[in-house]
Amino acid sequence: MTLDQLETDILAEKTPAPADVLAVLRSASSDALWESAHRITEHFKPAIFDFCAIVNARSGRCSENCKWCAQSGHWHTSCQAHGWIGTEACLSAAREAERNGVGRLGIVTSGRGQREEQVDAICDALRAIRSHTRLHRCASLGLLDEAALRRLKAAGLERIHCNIETAPSLFPKLCTTHTFADKLKTLRAAKALGFQICCGGILGMGETDEQLVEFAFTLRAIAPDSIPVNILDPIAGTPLAERSFLELSRILNGIAVLRLVNPKTPLRFAGGRRNLSDDAAAKAIYVGINAGIQGPLLTTPGSDYADDRHLAAKAGYATVQPPAE
């Protein structure tokens, strides 16, 4: 199948075959691949470039051995560890995000999951954000069971973030303290309870072309409401520290593949964005990025609240999300 044929099928909302996507990734020129992804992006384009913000609510000392992560207690990094920051600090971050025109805040905590008392604290913060702001509410809390998810939903949580990180075939080489199946269990439980799902991963951890396509189709099967696209920022002290930051052509190819396979799903700039120039970021938006995270991230710098708004507006997007009810 040619790239033109594949694009025609995708625009007609036919499901592409992994073999066809892999074939065009290997045979088409990068420029042709990017232009095809751009046309698909334009065809299914949402009106709003969805911006969210996150708050690092508990950092470091994580029991998991994810090779990319500075917060893992298995590696010796410069990550600043701190315990739960409390409801007032979460509410302060929410108010700052709201003042800066962001429509959604994610509470992010390090660790494999949440003990009962930690769920209590997070629920208290969610209720405060719900009462005192008009923000939509998201959280990234590791692996969660149905009981914890039910409590979080009752407190006002709308969206669960849990990245699959990479292709299932690569994941066991990057983390051994939990499994890909553990992640899917959390995602399925959240979906069954009616949560929106934010699920993506990291480009640049050594994935092959086959694994890039595998990653994209695994996300399609999960059908998330948002796909965060991180680019590995190699951090000193982690096992991936010696990897180079991914070259721009490979980043754009990755975005293009994600767009071909997930034509309607927002692709969200996340970690690694600050390592791109504005010109490179504009190219990424052209190819397929149509959402982003603003403000501070976790262990790497994030975009300032004003960053990327002009790029999104220049690409024809509105940038103000309607508030929560």
Side-chain angles (χ1 to χ4, degrees):
M1 179 178 285
T2 67
L3 178 57
D4 286 345
Q5 291 170 326
L6 181 63
E7 179 185 332
T8 298
D9 283 352
I10 292 169
L11 293 176
E13 302 193 33
K14 296 179 181 179
T15 302
D20 290 334
V21 175
L22 180 60
V24 300
L25 174 61
R26 288 178 165 172
S27 64
S29 71
S30 289
D31 285 341
L33 183 65
W34 303 340
E35 289 297 328
S36 180
H38 169 70
R39 288 189 292 270
I40 292 166
T41 299
E42 287 291 300
H43 182 80
F44 295 110
K45 183 177 182 177
I48 296 170
F49 196 100
D50 178 60
F51 283 111
C52 67
I54 62 176
V55 55
N56 188 353
R58 187 173 69 239
S59 180
R61 296 190 290 268
C62 182
S63 63
E64 307 306 283
N65 66 356
C66 308
K67 289 185 177 181
W68 61 86
C69 187
Q71 296 200 57
S72 170
H74 294 256
W75 324 131
H76 298 289
T77 71
S78 60
C79 171
Q80 297 299 307
H82 62 74
W84 171 247
I85 62 174
T87 292
E88 286 304 313
C90 288
L91 182 56
S92 177
R95 285 172 165 154
E96 181 182 5
E98 190 171 46
R99 284 193 299 271
N100 283 282
V102 173
R104 181 186 310 278
L105 181 78
I107 295 175
V108 183
T109 62
S110 66
R112 178 184 177 89
Q114 309 297 321
R115 299 189 302 273
E116 187 170 352
E117 66 272 18
Q118 292 171 332
V119 175
D120 289 339
I122 295 162
C123 285
D124 186 66
L126 287 166
R127 285 189 288 266
I129 294 168
R130 187 179 189 179
S131 296
H132 297 291
T133 77
R134 299 182 70 191
L135 293 179
H136 294 275
R137 297 160 300 279
C138 175
S140 182
L141 308 172
L143 305 176
L144 298 167
D145 61 20
E146 182 180 337
L149 287 165
R150 286 187 181 278
R151 293 172 60 201
L152 292 162
K153 188 173 179 65
L157 188 63
E158 299 168 290
R159 179 176 288 188
I160 285 289
H161 169 264
C162 182
N163 278 345
I164 59 170
E165 309 300 357
T166 189
S169 64
L170 181 57
F171 186 85
K173 298 177 182 178
L174 297 169
C175 177
T176 60
T177 49
H178 62 272
T179 67
F180 202 86
D182 291 330
K183 287 181 172 289
L184 292 181
K185 184 177 180 181
T186 293
L187 290 164
R188 288 169 180 156
K191 272 207 158 189
L193 291 173
F195 281 99
Q196 297 172 19
I197 299 296
C198 182
C199 179
I202 307 171
L203 301 177
M205 296 197 292
E207 65 276 2
T208 63
D209 287 348
E210 291 91 345
Q211 288 168 329
L212 173 59
V213 173
E214 180 190 356
F215 171 53
F217 275 92
T218 304
L219 288 170
R220 183 184 177 98
I222 292 167
D225 299 277
S226 169
I227 296 176
V229 182
N230 297 272
I231 307 154
L232 180 70
D233 190 348
I235 297 172
T238 67
L240 299 186
E242 300 306 313
R243 295 199 66 86
S244 298
F245 188 75
L246 206 57
E247 61 185 28
L248 181 58
S249 62
R250 183 67 178 175
I251 293 169
L252 297 179
N253 283 354
I255 292 168
V257 167
L258 288 168
R259 176 53 68 219
L260 266 61
V261 179
N262 301 274
K264 297 181 181 180
T265 310
L267 301 181
R268 187 178 300 276
F269 261 146
R273 158 63 184 99
R274 283 296 292 265
N275 291 328
L276 299 177
S277 67
D278 280 356
D279 284 346
K283 289 178 182 177
I285 291 172
Y286 182 85
V287 172
I289 294 290
N290 50 14
I293 301 176
Q294 294 194 294
L297 296 180
L298 301 178
T299 60
T300 57
S303 299
D304 294 334
Y305 281 107
D307 286 356
D308 294 342
R309 287 184 179 273
H310 68 289
L311 297 179
K314 190 174 180 180
Y317 294 94
T319 59
V320 178
Q321 182 175 344
E325 296 294 334

